[in-house]
Amino acid sequence: LAVNVKNKGIVIISGCGHQSIEKILLRTEMLFDEPIYAVLGGFHYPLEVERNISWIQRYAVVGKLPWECLTVDEIRANCGLLKARKIKLVGLSAHDSSDGSIAIFKQEFPAEYVNIKVGEKISLGKN
């Protein structure tokens, strides 16, 4: 879902981004002239097996060969895609991203990162 928020820009909300954050960003930029303000939701970063991240998710649904899994460097490269676009608000869903991936995003976006929890509001702030 891409929403054009007045005086902000495009807010991307993803349920489960199997197609990759890179493709989501590129498609959004093809459709809108406004800058991307926020990227929120599920973007599928199952770095380690835990909580609701099974070995199947870690290896089979990350857009790679079945025996390959996502790496820290790939996650950081995806953070770089967001930084290059000067995204003002970033948040990952724990639905399809592991704690390690969320920690990387929090580290890469110390001022821009928001926690996403069911039932909690996310404010777009004054930026």
Side-chain angles (χ1 to χ4, degrees), residues 45 47-48 50-51 53 94 97-105:
Y45 293 113
L47 189 58
E48 64 267 340
E50 62 178 23
R51 231 179 328 106
I53 309 294
S97 294
S98 62
D99 291 340
S101 299
I102 292 170
I104 291 168
F105 269 79

Side-chain angles (χ1 to χ4, degrees), residues 103-117:
I104 291 168
F105 269 79
K106 285 181 178 181
Q107 181 183 52
E108 294 286 328
F109 298 97
E112 300 89 350
Y113 193 86
V114 293
N115 290 315
I116 296 178
K117 293 184 181 176

Side-chain angles (χ1 to χ4, degrees), residues 78-89:
N78 279 262
C79 289
L81 295 173
L82 300 175
K83 286 181 178 184
R85 289 164 172 84
K86 297 180 173 58
I87 305 296
K88 303 281 191 269
L89 194 65

Side-chain angles (χ1 to χ4, degrees), residues 48-63:
E48 64 267 340
V49 174
E50 62 178 23
R51 231 179 328 106
N52 58 332
I53 309 294
S54 70
W55 68 269
I56 294 171
Q57 288 170 305
R58 184 164 184 236
Y59 289 95
V61 291
V62 293

Side-chain angles (χ1 to χ4, degrees), residues 19-39:
Q19 63 273 33
S20 83
I21 201 164
E22 181 179 18
K23 289 179 183 175
I24 292 169
L25 293 172
L26 292 173
R27 182 68 174 153
T28 301
E29 291 168 337
M30 287 173 53
L31 295 172
F32 297 95
D33 292 327
E34 294 79 7
I36 299 172
Y37 180 84
V39 175

